[in-house]
Amino acid sequence: PKRPVQGELVVMERRPVMVAGALAARGPIPWVATPEVHDALREVWYEERARRVGLYLLMPEPLHFVASMNDDSTTFAVWLEEWKLRFGERIDDPTLRWHDTDWHETLRSERHYLETLNHIRHNPVRRDLVTDPDDWPYQGVIFSLHWEGCSEGY
């Protein structure tokens, strides 16, 4: 079966804080799951080094992702605002903007991490957009993130 494209493997000396997040788009028309947005987000996230996006999935509304917060230099909220700004500069369309608020939670165990990955991947199936999560075109892995000691993950 098809799998999301794998990015570079990230090995860290200490276990980073893993965060799952979701971010909704502004506007009456769903615009997140498009090739243009997909490409722009991938470019922005590939440039990021202090925080790494692992698995992500773009739904028509919203965007879901898991990220490692392996640098204490800034908060999750500041990081989120920074990449939203870079995305806006790259996409160069003032109608495509994110909501000011987001949903996120810290993943505190291997089990929680794996359940979250599974939940994110199956969103298009639950919404009847595809029958197999591998068939959803707007997903991938920027950096391969694994819970310490766990061979599973993306």
Side-chain angles (χ1 to χ4, degrees):
K2 294 185 305 184
R3 305 290 283 178
V5 177
Q6 294 289 322
E8 93 181 59
L9 178 64
V10 178
V11 179
M12 295 169 232
E13 293 181 18
R14 63 179 176 82
R15 183 173 50 149
V17 174
M18 295 279 207
V19 177
L23 185 60
R26 289 186 190 171
I29 300 170
W31 55 262
V32 177
T34 64
E36 180 184 31
V37 170
H38 193 195
D39 291 345
L41 284 169
R42 289 178 63 84
E43 289 172 10
V44 166
W45 289 334
Y46 270 122
E47 294 168 359
E48 181 63 46
R49 294 297 171 195
R51 273 104 171 109
R52 308 221 178 198
V53 172
L55 176 72
Y56 69 89
L57 186 129
L58 312 180
M59 294 291 289
E61 182 67 28
L63 152 70
H64 301 272
F65 62 91
V66 172
S68 70
M69 311 310 284
N70 57 317
D71 179 339
D72 297 330
S73 64
T74 190
T75 66
F76 177 83
V78 169
W79 170 76
L80 190 68
E81 288 305 314
E82 288 172 353
W83 74 249
K84 284 168 38 178
L85 179 65
R86 289 197 313 273
F87 168 83
E89 292 167 350
R90 177 139 311 139
I91 206 83
D92 196 29
D93 182 341
T95 66
L96 305 183
R97 293 295 176 252
W98 303 103
H99 272 288
D100 293 332
T101 58
D102 69 283
W103 170 90
H104 67 275
E105 69 175 333
T106 301
L107 305 176
R108 302 197 182 277
S109 70
E110 176 184 331
R111 179 175 171 222
H112 190 195
Y113 170 68
L114 295 174
E115 287 172 352
T116 299
L117 294 177
N118 187 55
H119 180 82
I120 289 172
R121 292 243 317 123
H122 283 85
N123 270 310
V125 175
R126 282 190 297 281
R127 295 265 307 267
D128 294 323
L129 298 170
V130 294
T131 56
D132 182 333
D134 290 331
D135 292 338
W136 185 246
Y138 303 109
Q139 66 176 321
V141 175
I142 301 300
F143 296 98
S144 183
L145 306 176
H146 293 270
W147 196 266
E148 184 179 326
C150 178
S151 62
E152 297 179 55
Y154 291 97

